[in-house]
Amino acid sequence: MADNYPYHSPMYAGQMLKPPHPLARLAYGLAMHINPNNHALDGGRASSQMEKEAVADLAAMFGWKRHLGHLTSGGTMANLEALWVAGQLRPGQTIVASTQAHYTHTRISKVLQLPCETIGCDDRGRLDPGLLEKRLKKGGVGTVVVTIGTTATGSIDPLPEVIDLQKQYNFRIHADAAYGGYYMVASSLEREARRSYDCLRHVDSLVIDPHKHGLQPYGCGCVLFRDPAVGRLYKHDSPYTYFSSQELHLGEISLECSRAGAAAVGLWATHRLLPPVRGGAFADNLDTCRHAALALFERITADERFVPGMPPQLDIVTWIPRAASPAAASRLSRQIFAAAAKLGLHLALAELPTRFFGAPTAGAPARKPRSGHEPTVTCLRSVLMKPEHFDAIPAIWSTLDRATRRALAQPAILSRRRQK
Ligand SMILES: *Cc1c(COP(=O)(O)O)cnc(C)c1O
């Protein structure tokens, strides 16, 4: 297990990985001694009750007094369930999501045998409402997926505009807030983003991942439906479960059967210490992450050697090294990534549309775009999802500076050969 990146350290500033809170680890571990199963009350009475309470806390965070929902093994299962319900209510109709939506939406739609299409984004990685309307006019769209915090760049789709279109074109709205959902309680969002969060109460279904920003160990996603009546779609007859009582067994409203009750215990306990509400310590920590991202973005913007991507709407920063062409910038990104790792700073790489970085679109593209796809560039990406990142920005910056100087000192011929 020593063969891992130092996820706990603020110098790990790469992928979307955040260590669970010590309390969550402890509660999860203690519950494991009983190993409750939240499929049915027979398998875990206390942990099922804790799940109902913890899920109600999450629903309340979005302003929902009534809801139907439960925990899942993760965001993918939660999205599958939301789109499964959408497909039953809109049989055969198309699901649309932006080109920056999580890749699993396309795959999930295939599993559900529902048609799926993507809608283009603006230069900040947000679903373009103009292009959405163009598609809606053609008809046949049953569900629009809005992403509240895209996985690559943390961009917030313009939910108010999508809700306006809903009035005219009548479709379901599913919000994939697996990553960004908890920013609901933050107070540092820019106006545009806040508007979208404030509209979340109007969507039909919503997914949030407590194992991303919610300080939980893996195996903790959550799906919420605004209309509890969708519960009827789950109706089935099982001869061997649900004998113990007339109360709601979570397995009656869930696609999955056996699930770790320990995940509910971890989340419930964490909510006691750090309730997901505005103005609390949990919300403060999210604001600190966002300020870390803004601080890094500011330094990158002020440095001639870099071209920043869009200003962060949450806590993800993307940038490329300034170079003669996207191909050269991509090469340099990979060199800086490797040099930084050697110096103990762990960043991530991402393949994003060249236009996200404005100017340097001339010259050879990084990769030949597949037909129908736009040209991309390999960029550097940093997810600053630990509050400790804020105090570490000077250290992150000085290491990035050293790594960049090393990469720029490497002869280009050598690096090109290495690429082959
Ligand atoms: C992470 C993520 C998912 C997938 O969730 P898992 O918990 O990894 O299964 C889906 N959508 C978005 C926007 C995400 O960031």
Side-chain angles (χ1 to χ4, degrees):
M1 289 306 288
D3 184 23
N4 275 303
Y5 293 105
Y7 306 114
H8 61 282
S9 162
M11 297 304 276
Y12 184 88
Q15 304 286 358
M16 202 171 267
L17 300 166
K18 174 165 174 153
H21 193 280
L23 178 72
R25 293 178 200 260
L26 186 61
Y28 193 108
L30 287 173
M32 279 306 297
H33 290 275
I34 295 173
N35 192 31
N37 181 341
N38 274 12
H39 169 237
L41 288 165
D42 308 55
R45 284 204 304 275
S47 53
S48 290
Q49 181 58 29
M50 286 163 152
E51 176 164 335
K52 289 173 193 172
E53 291 179 19
V55 168
D57 292 341
L58 295 178
M61 179 169 85
F62 296 105
W64 289 358
K65 291 198 183 75
R66 274 157 39 94
H67 69 279
L68 188 90
H70 60 87
L71 299 181
T72 62
S73 56
T76 307
M77 265 311 292
N79 278 321
L80 170 74
E81 195 150 329
L83 295 183
W84 173 73
V85 164
Q88 292 201 71
L89 296 171
R90 307 291 183 121
Q93 291 187 24
T94 302
I95 293 169
V96 300
S98 91
T99 45
Q100 286 295 314
H102 201 264
Y103 72 95
T104 47
H105 289 289
T106 310
R107 189 189 279 181
I108 287 167
S109 304
K110 281 189 186 141
V111 171
L112 297 171
Q113 302 198 327
L114 291 167
C116 181
E117 290 173 36
T118 53
I119 306 290
C121 286
D122 67 10
D123 288 347
R124 291 184 69 181
R126 302 170 297 194
L127 180 129
D128 182 327
L131 294 176
L132 174 63
E133 178 158 29
K134 230 166 121 186
R135 174 60 192 85
L136 290 168
K137 277 193 174 131
K138 289 197 236 161
V141 173
T143 304
V144 174
V145 176
V146 294
T147 308
I148 302 298
T150 60
T151 315
T153 62
S155 301
I156 313 291
D157 284 349
L159 184 52
E161 281 76 6
V162 175
I163 288 174
D164 278 348
L165 290 169
Q166 186 188 36
K167 287 174 194 138
Q168 201 177 335
Y169 296 97
N170 177 35
F171 47 81
R172 278 180 73 82
I173 301 179
H174 170 61
D176 181 358
Y179 180 60
Y182 281 102
Y183 270 95
M184 184 71 195
V185 294
S187 53
S188 58
L189 296 177
E190 49 170 37
R191 226 184 91 247
E192 283 279 316
R194 187 78 253 170
R195 279 174 66 228
S196 284
Y197 278 89
D198 289 344
C199 287
L200 277 173
R201 60 174 68 230
H202 302 300
V203 304
D204 296 290
S205 54
L206 205 156
V207 160
I208 179 169
D209 257 359
H211 70 201
K212 283 211 178 127
H213 253 309
L215 298 165
Q216 298 310 299
Y218 288 114
C220 197
C222 179
V223 62
L224 296 166
F225 296 95
R226 187 162 51 92
D227 177 10
V230 300
R232 75 190 139 80
L233 302 171
Y234 291 87
K235 206 167 156 36
H236 62 91
D237 292 309
S238 160
Y240 39 79
T241 47
Y242 319 134
F243 285 149
S244 62
S245 74
Q246 293 301 308
E247 273 172 88
L248 177 72
H249 299 249
L250 289 161
E252 291 175 275
I253 55 156
S254 154
L255 279 186
E256 288 173 282
C257 285
S258 295
R259 279 189 299 110
V265 180
L267 185 62
W268 184 92
T270 307
H271 284 184
R272 303 279 82 63
L273 181 70
L274 295 167
V277 294
R278 283 214 195 186
F282 179 81
D284 280 354
N285 281 342
L286 290 175
D287 287 324
T288 307
C289 295
R290 189 164 146 63
H291 287 130
L294 290 171
L296 181 61
F297 177 76
E298 212 170 277
R299 293 195 186 221
I300 287 166
T301 307
D303 194 310
E304 277 298 309
R305 295 170 297 175
F306 298 127
V307 181
M310 67 282 283
Q313 287 194 290
L314 297 179
D315 50 24
I316 302 175
V317 186
T318 55
W319 70 101
I320 54 173
R322 196 176 293 281
S325 68
S330 298
R331 214 156 41 229
L332 258 178
S333 287
R334 284 189 285 269
Q335 286 170 344
I336 294 171
F337 169 80
K342 275 199 190 132
L343 295 169
L345 171 67
H346 303 281
L347 301 168
L349 292 168
E351 196 68 25
L352 290 175
T354 312
R355 67 187 168 91
F356 285 6
F357 302 90
T361 48
R367 269 187 208 169
K368 198 162 171 263
R370 285 177 289 148
S371 66
H373 289 251
E374 47 185 341
T376 59
V377 61
T378 310
C379 70
L380 289 155
R381 169 171 167 267
S382 184
V383 183
L384 298 166
M385 68 190 303
K386 295 184 287 251
E388 294 81 7
H389 279 135
F390 183 75
D391 287 336
I393 289 297
I396 290 173
W397 181 256
S398 72
T399 311
L400 174 61
D401 174 57
R402 280 166 64 206
T404 305
R405 275 188 274 145
R406 277 192 193 181
L408 288 172
Q410 277 179 38
I413 308 268
L414 190 79
S415 56
R416 221 173 277 140
R417 202 181 302 139
R418 227 179 251 161
Q419 270 232 276
K420 281 179 194 160

